Amino acid sequence: MSGFSRFMKANKISRENEMHAVTKDLRDEFGKPLEWEFRHITSRENEDIREQCTIDVPVTGKPNVYRPKLKTSLYIQKIITASVVMPDLYDAELQDSYGVKTPEDLLLAMVDSPGEYNDLAAYVQKFQGFDVSLDDKVQEAKNS
């Protein structure tokens, strides 16, 4: 295989969805916490979400000068929402059952324990690869 052909899409490793129990408050008939399904988002999806969550704020003392500011809480909510496959946070019936109208509000209603929500945010960030540097990944691949 030539050097260039190794970069072809056919050689790219696909990332699998994962199941993860998010909250103790939603259980099956045996009392076991329900598992949610998560998917990996693309770099393009991440950039679109980041753009949606970035606002321009004025720089103090400099008229007509602005700097970008990421609304971090909203960004995390949208990353989690984009990652969740099941339950379908966009389902109108599910939203209605919680009395909300957006997937982000549904997420916050379903996971209304601050500790569980923080654990979910940490899980999704790790799942999406925000916890490991590229150098760490290269070292891991060498050791495999």
Side-chain angles (χ1 to χ4, degrees), residues 28-47:
D28 65 15
E29 61 274 11
F30 304 107
K32 182 179 173 194
L34 296 175
E35 289 190 327
W36 294 26
E37 182 178 359
F38 293 87
R39 71 175 185 90
H40 290 276
I41 62 170
T42 65
S43 295
R44 170 61 50 213
E45 288 173 298
N46 181 58
E47 287 304 310

Side-chain angles (χ1 to χ4, degrees), residues 88-101:
D88 181 359
L89 299 177
Y90 292 85
D91 184 82
E93 185 178 357
L94 186 56
Q95 290 176 1
D96 289 346
S97 79
Y98 283 87
V100 298
K101 296 292 180 199

Side-chain angles (χ1 to χ4, degrees), residues 99-113:
V100 298
K101 296 292 180 199
T102 68
E104 292 80 18
D105 286 342
L106 178 58
L107 173 67
L108 292 172
M110 293 178 79
V111 187
D112 62 354
S113 164

Side-chain angles (χ1 to χ4, degrees), residues 70-88:
L70 180 66
K71 296 171 77 175
T72 309
S73 294
L74 181 60
Y75 174 70
I76 295 296
Q77 286 175 22
K78 287 187 174 287
I79 289 290
I80 294 170
T81 301
S83 302
V84 173
V85 174
M86 187 62 157
D88 181 359

